[in-house]
Amino acid sequence: MKYGIVIVSHVSDIAIGVQRLIDQVAKDVSVTTAGGLENDGVGTSIERIQTAFEQNTGDELLAFYDLGSAKMNLEMAIEMSDKKVHLYDTALVESAYTAAALLQVNTSLEDVEKQINELKIK
Amino acid sequence: MKYGIVIVSHVSDIAIGVQRLIDQVAKDVSVTTAGGLENDGVGTSIERIQTAFEQNTGDELLAFYDLGSAKMNLEMAIEMSDKKVHLYDTALVESAYTAAALLQVNTSLEDVEKQINELKIK
Amino acid sequence: MTLDVEKTIKWMDDFNAEIQAQKGYLSELDTPIGDGDHGNNMARGMEAVHEALDGKEFNSVSDVLKTIAMSLISKVGGAAGPLYGTAFLEMSKTNSGDIKDLIPAGLAGIERRGNATEGEKTMVDVWKPAAEAVSAGKLTSKLIDESVEKTRDMQATKGRASYVGERSIGHIDPGSMSSGYLLKTLLKVGE
Amino acid sequence: MTLDVEKTIKWMDDFNAEIQAQKGYLSELDTPIGDGDHGNNMARGMEAVHEALDGKEFNSVSDVLKTIAMSLISKVGGAAGPLYGTAFLEMSKTNSGDIKDLIPAGLAGIERRGNATEGEKTMVDVWKPAAEAVSAGKLTSKLIDESVEKTRDMQATKGRASYVGERSIGHIDPGSMSSGYLLKTLLKVGE
Ligand SMILES: Nc1ncnc2c1ncn2[C@@H]1O[C@H](COP(=O)(O)OP(=O)(O)O)[C@@H](O)[C@H]1O
Ligand SMILES: Nc1ncnc2c1ncn2[C@@H]1O[C@H](COP(=O)(O)OP(=O)(O)O)[C@@H](O)[C@H]1O
Ligand SMILES: [Mg+2]
Ligand SMILES: [Mg+2]
Ligand SMILES: [Mg+2]
Ligand SMILES: [Mg+2]
């Protein structure tokens, strides 16, 4: 099973920045992002989330978000998606980093979740 | 007492993105950032942290960071700084957002800390 | 009261007009307890709804409701997008035009999507009493206005306003206000 | 062994040469358990040290040590920057050139800055046995090599390597390796 990571943020810079941070330690993990709105607006777009799901080469996805409204859009996108997507109510930057580092060394999803659940804050 | 917020991240996009996210809800709170290295490298720079301290118009600062090495640079900068800086081991994006929203409505530092301590994960 | 295709479109025209007129006020309500964009979000979303409906043919009320849902989901950009979007999707699934079916279905969608219940200072606090009243045949503009006003003294425990805790008290919830406009324009198309 | 200004500079020249030669290897060590930049970080830092020392006059060993600290603090960019930087700052504060004073002071700085203790698979695992051995007059290159090698079987609980938990076992800690180079070149300037 190949896992991928999806980062959803209200601000495109945050999403892209987290991707840069985790690419460093997880070169072989597919990471895609959905940040902000059209015209560089602040918000979350379900279409961008759907694109991030599609472009991710992982078979199953781990999704992280910043604020509650991003979660609602994520949940809608998950309901509409064919891929299995796991959604975590954990610290965005820190849990995405942890998950990426662990997936890079082929940790099982169960063990990854054990780690990131300690970062649950939402 | 006027409080300011400092965001320290290994990646400039993350620092700037968090600033954009919190500017939305905290127009009157001074937010400065120290992200990445020269030449857009990934890492943290004590000089950038010092500049973020200086440029912040807050009298006392609340500092948030992403990973442990950023914390070490923050601690060095704090030891060298004249300003009082509070350092939090909390979820970067979420606690900076919470602190900003609360400071905007003139919440006391004690009450802000009560809230963000629930986001302690490091 | 039962909607047909024409009335549903009229409802959206009226709601759109109200949103565009109150855009500044809604964003103002969202400023002390949120990020100040609710009016802009709704205005953007309702413009998309208008474009999606304008001059099109629809076979059923359900089709219109689904089209509205899709536009709101994709264009609002804030929490109100998935919330109103899910409300309209659930309304569409009832295959009914009767507001006794529609309002409770919309409420159920919002509650599920927002994981919210009454008393949390969200739009649920307008939809819930409206759903109860419509079932009893007692939904009025006055009741809607009162529910909106009641959100003023609540402390938010969901959404962005929850971040400021006690400081959210004393301000009307913006999503409740826009929900008030939505339900009042709905009542009006039945008059 | 006691350093003077000349020997301190010679130490840094040798360490710099070693770092530049082992840059690729250090980053390779940092790849499976970190972000693969330790060699580049140290190379960048030591270049800055070289520039700061080159052709300058210094009044005391302390002055040289402080200059080294400042260059490392501002140029390394990774965790190794504040760690080595604090080590050299603490060494500088001893106002001594005796390695019996310097190594324990450096260790204390690293422990404080990294909030780390022995057995966490960090450079402390090289500095700590070195500090103990130097106090007993028994510091050798062999002992240093052995401490570096011992980090291989440890599980990291500090720094980036701690994120991969058990998977950090089986790899030498990069900061321990570079600390080994530092301490061995220090021994060599005393020969
Ligand atoms: N979890 C939730 N459940 C129900 N309603 C919510 C929830 N979160 C937010 N809302 C509603 O959404 C409104 C804010 O919408 P909007 O400003 O468009 O979104 P955002 O907060 O993302 O900027 C609030 O006034 C509230 O009525
Ligand atoms: N908290 C700590 N205490 C002591 N040493 C540490 C700590 N964190 C990291 N290190 C050391 O720093 C080395 C990594 O340095 P480097 O790669 O330059 O930094 P980064 O991890 O920021 O990329 C590790 O191999 C370890 O020896
Ligand atoms: Mg808003
Ligand atoms: Mg918004
Ligand atoms: Mg590294
Ligand atoms: Mg690094």
Side-chain angles (χ1 to χ4, degrees):
Chain A
M1 179 64 68
K2 203 187 148 203
Y3 296 102
I5 289 178
V6 175
I7 308 294
V8 181
S9 171
H10 277 68
V11 182
S12 60
D13 310 78
I14 295 180
I16 288 166
V18 174
Q19 185 180 38
R20 283 193 68 193
L21 183 73
I22 70 186
D23 272 351
Q24 263 204 318
V25 293
K27 302 220 167 14
D28 306 312
V29 180
S30 177
V31 180
T32 51
T33 66
L37 302 178
E38 283 167 24
N39 306 317
D40 209 27
V42 175
T44 53
S45 143
I46 190 166
E47 277 150 27
R48 289 190 177 197
I49 297 172
Q50 288 172 321
T51 306
F53 286 179
E54 282 158 27
Q55 291 180 343
N56 199 298
T57 63
D59 308 312
E60 266 188 38
L61 306 179
L62 287 74
F64 302 93
Y65 67 91
D66 52 9
L67 298 175
S69 47
K71 179 181 182 173
M72 291 190 237
N73 271 317
L74 251 170
E75 283 175 338
M76 295 210 80
I78 290 171
E79 286 167 18
M80 297 176 187
S81 166
D82 294 332
K83 276 191 189 171
K84 180 147 190 176
V85 183
H86 307 268
L87 173 58
Y88 301 102
D89 295 323
T90 53
L92 172 65
V93 178
E94 295 83 353
S95 58
Y97 181 88
T98 303
L102 289 170
L103 290 174
Q104 173 68 24
V105 295
N106 298 313
T107 311
S108 70
L109 181 64
E110 199 191 327
D111 287 348
V112 172
E113 291 191 336
K114 221 181 270 167
Q115 286 301 312
I116 58 181
N117 279 336
E118 289 178 18
L119 308 174
K120 191 165 182 334
I121 53 163
K122 293 168 187 170
Chain B
M1 179 64 68
K2 203 188 148 204
Y3 296 102
I5 290 179
V6 175
I7 308 295
V8 182
S9 171
H10 277 68
V11 181
S12 60
D13 310 79
I14 295 180
I16 289 166
V18 174
Q19 185 180 37
R20 283 194 67 194
L21 183 72
I22 70 186
D23 273 350
Q24 262 204 319
V25 294
K27 303 223 165 14
D28 306 312
V29 180
S30 177
V31 180
T32 51
T33 66
L37 302 178
E38 283 168 23
N39 305 318
D40 208 26
V42 175
T44 52
S45 143
I46 190 165
E47 278 151 27
R48 290 190 176 199
I49 298 172
Q50 287 171 322
T51 306
F53 285 179
E54 281 158 28
Q55 291 181 343
N56 199 297
T57 62
D59 308 310
E60 267 188 37
L61 307 179
L62 288 73
F64 302 93
Y65 67 91
D66 52 8
L67 298 174
S69 46
K71 179 181 181 172
M72 291 189 237
N73 271 318
L74 251 170
E75 284 174 338
M76 295 209 81
I78 289 171
E79 286 166 20
M80 297 175 188
S81 167
D82 293 332
K83 276 191 189 171
K84 180 146 190 175
V85 183
H86 307 268
L87 174 57
Y88 301 102
D89 296 324
T90 52
L92 172 64
V93 178
E94 295 84 353
S95 58
Y97 180 87
T98 303
L102 289 170
L103 290 174
Q104 172 68 24
V105 294
N106 298 313
T107 312
S108 70
L109 182 63
E110 198 191 328
D111 287 348
V112 172
E113 291 190 337
K114 220 181 271 168
Q115 285 301 312
I116 59 181
N117 279 335
E118 289 178 18
L119 307 174
K120 190 163 181 340
I121 52 163
K122 293 168 188 169
Chain C
M1 199 260 287
T2 300
L3 293 177
D4 55 21
V5 168
E6 204 185 328
K7 277 185 181 160
T8 311
I9 293 175
K10 172 82 170 69
W11 174 26
M12 285 301 112
D13 285 344
D14 292 353
F15 181 51
N16 185 24
E18 187 74 6
I19 286 292
Q20 303 304 336
Q22 305 297 340
K23 174 173 150 173
Y25 176 54
L26 289 172
S27 286
E28 218 174 85
L29 289 178
D30 196 27
T31 300
I33 60 171
D35 55 350
D37 63 1
H38 187 61
N40 296 299
N41 289 346
M42 293 306 295
R44 187 168 53 228
M46 286 311 298
E47 236 162 75
V49 168
H50 175 73
E51 268 173 45
L53 299 182
D54 197 37
K56 304 281 193 328
E57 294 285 326
F58 292 93
N59 290 323
S60 66
V61 171
S62 285
D63 281 358
V64 187
L65 294 170
K66 192 168 178 190
T67 302
I68 297 166
M70 289 308 169
S71 298
L72 293 174
I73 289 167
S74 70
K75 290 299 174 198
V76 170
L83 289 165
Y84 279 115
T86 308
F88 277 95
L89 266 187
E90 293 300 324
M91 289 194 245
S92 150
K93 285 187 199 157
T94 62
N95 284 316
S96 163
D98 188 338
I99 63 170
K100 287 190 178 170
D101 298 324
L102 294 178
I103 298 178
L107 167 66
I110 292 167
E111 287 177 325
R112 175 169 65 86
R113 183 62 63 211
N115 191 27
T117 54
E118 230 179 346
E120 300 195 280
K121 197 182 184 98
T122 71
M123 54 175 74
V124 168
D125 294 310
V126 171
W127 283 80
K128 179 97 176 187
E132 284 168 1
V134 80
S135 301
K138 289 179 179 169
L139 182 58
T140 62
S141 280
K142 188 165 169 281
L143 181 137
I144 296 167
D145 285 338
E146 285 168 2
S147 331
V148 172
E149 181 57 36
K150 273 189 198 154
T151 66
R152 190 191 295 273
D153 293 334
M154 295 180 184
Q155 175 169 342
T157 52
K158 282 275 151 55
R160 279 181 192 267
S162 65
Y163 286 89
V164 294
E166 288 173 10
R167 308 291 176 124
S168 64
I169 296 171
H171 305 276
I172 290 176
D173 173 58
S176 295
M177 183 56 86
S178 61
S179 293
Y181 298 151
L182 182 75
L183 295 171
K184 287 200 291 178
T185 48
L186 173 59
L187 283 188
K188 261 224 317 248
V189 295
E191 279 167 11
Chain D
M1 197 262 283
T2 299
L3 293 176
D4 56 20
V5 168
E6 204 185 329
K7 277 185 181 159
T8 312
I9 292 175
K10 171 84 170 71
W11 175 27
M12 285 301 112
D13 284 345
D14 291 354
F15 181 52
N16 185 23
E18 187 73 5
I19 286 293
Q20 303 304 336
Q22 305 297 341
K23 174 173 149 171
Y25 176 56
L26 289 172
S27 285
E28 219 173 84
L29 289 178
D30 195 28
T31 300
I33 60 171
D35 55 350
D37 63 1
H38 187 60
N40 296 300
N41 288 345
M42 292 305 296
R44 186 168 52 228
M46 287 310 299
E47 236 162 74
V49 168
H50 175 73
E51 268 172 47
L53 299 181
D54 197 36
K56 305 283 193 327
E57 295 284 326
F58 292 93
N59 290 324
S60 67
V61 172
S62 283
D63 281 358
V64 188
L65 294 170
K66 192 167 179 192
T67 303
I68 298 165
M70 289 308 169
S71 298
L72 292 174
I73 288 168
S74 70
K75 290 298 175 200
V76 170
L83 290 164
Y84 279 114
T86 308
F88 277 96
L89 266 187
E90 293 300 324
M91 291 193 244
S92 149
K93 285 188 199 157
T94 63
N95 284 317
S96 162
D98 188 339
I99 64 170
K100 287 190 178 173
D101 298 324
L102 295 179
I103 298 178
L107 167 66
I110 292 167
E111 286 176 324
R112 175 168 66 85
R113 183 62 63 211
N115 191 27
T117 54
E118 228 178 349
E120 299 195 281
K121 197 184 184 99
T122 72
M123 54 175 73
V124 168
D125 293 309
V126 171
W127 282 81
K128 178 96 178 188
E132 284 167 3
V134 80
S135 302
K138 289 181 178 166
L139 183 58
T140 62
S141 279
K142 190 165 166 283
L143 180 137
I144 295 167
D145 284 338
E146 285 168 1
S147 335
V148 172
E149 182 57 35
K150 272 188 198 156
T151 66
R152 190 191 294 274
D153 293 333
M154 295 180 182
Q155 175 169 341
T157 52
K158 282 275 151 59
R160 279 179 193 268
S162 65
Y163 286 90
V164 294
E166 289 174 8
R167 308 292 176 124
S168 64
I169 297 171
H171 306 275
I172 290 175
D173 173 58
S176 295
M177 183 56 84
S178 61
S179 293
Y181 298 151
L182 182 76
L183 295 171
K184 288 200 290 178
T185 48
L186 173 60
L187 283 187
K188 262 226 315 252
V189 295
E191 279 168 13

